[in-house]
Amino acid sequence: MSISPPNPKRGEVWLVNFDPTIGAEIKKKRPAVVISSDAVGVLPIKLIAPITDWKERFGGNIWHVKVLPDSSNGLSKASAIDTLQVRGVDVQRFIRKLGRLPSSAMEEVTAAIAAIIEYS
């Protein structure tokens, strides 16, 4: 019996295993949101943004998007999507689906990414 790999979709929040990491990269198992298009790529790679606990000092950062917990996103506390640590990861790092972000939150994430890469 074979187990098929997960198939995360854009806007979904998943628990992801980030280890091993180096230096200041975000570590351990934590939530992340899938930001890549479902129509892009042939490899089992998804572009994700990790999610960490919200801290008031993040309020002035253009790369942190605040998300409050609710029944649809599966988060348990106020959180920050860290768009400065966007990365491509193999679907084998995905542990389980937690929920989904609304399109308004995904628009904020997209705007934060555009700001940090100075897209105009």
Side-chain angles (χ1 to χ4, degrees):
M1 181 169 123
S2 68
I3 299 173
S4 58
N7 188 19
K9 303 287 187 197
R10 178 174 167 79
E12 291 180 346
V13 176
W14 282 73
L15 185 63
V16 176
N17 183 3
F18 286 92
D19 290 332
T21 57
I22 297 174
E25 295 171 350
I26 209 154
K27 298 170 178 34
K28 64 187 179 180
K29 293 177 185 155
R30 66 176 62 248
V33 61
V34 179
I35 58 175
S36 54
S37 168
D38 297 335
V40 174
V42 295
L43 295 174
I45 302 287
K46 295 293 180 176
L47 192 61
I48 56 97
I51 300 174
T52 190
D53 297 349
W54 177 258
K55 295 180 178 44
E56 287 306 315
R57 69 177 191 258
F58 293 167
N61 298 343
I62 61 171
W63 64 90
H64 283 119
V65 176
K66 187 174 186 179
V67 179
L68 298 176
D70 64 30
S71 59
S72 63
N73 64 30
L75 299 171
S76 60
K77 53 190 161 188
S79 301
I81 300 170
D82 190 347
T83 62
L84 191 58
Q85 295 212 36
V86 166
R87 67 183 81 175
V89 299
D90 192 284
V91 296
Q92 294 178 72
R93 289 188 178 270
F94 289 75
I95 299 168
R96 73 176 180 279
K97 182 179 171 183
L98 301 175
R100 171 175 280 287
L101 293 181
S103 58
S104 58
M106 290 303 293
E107 288 171 9
E108 288 184 62
V109 168
T110 302
I113 293 168
I116 63 173
I117 64 170
E118 296 184 4
Y119 180 80
S120 54

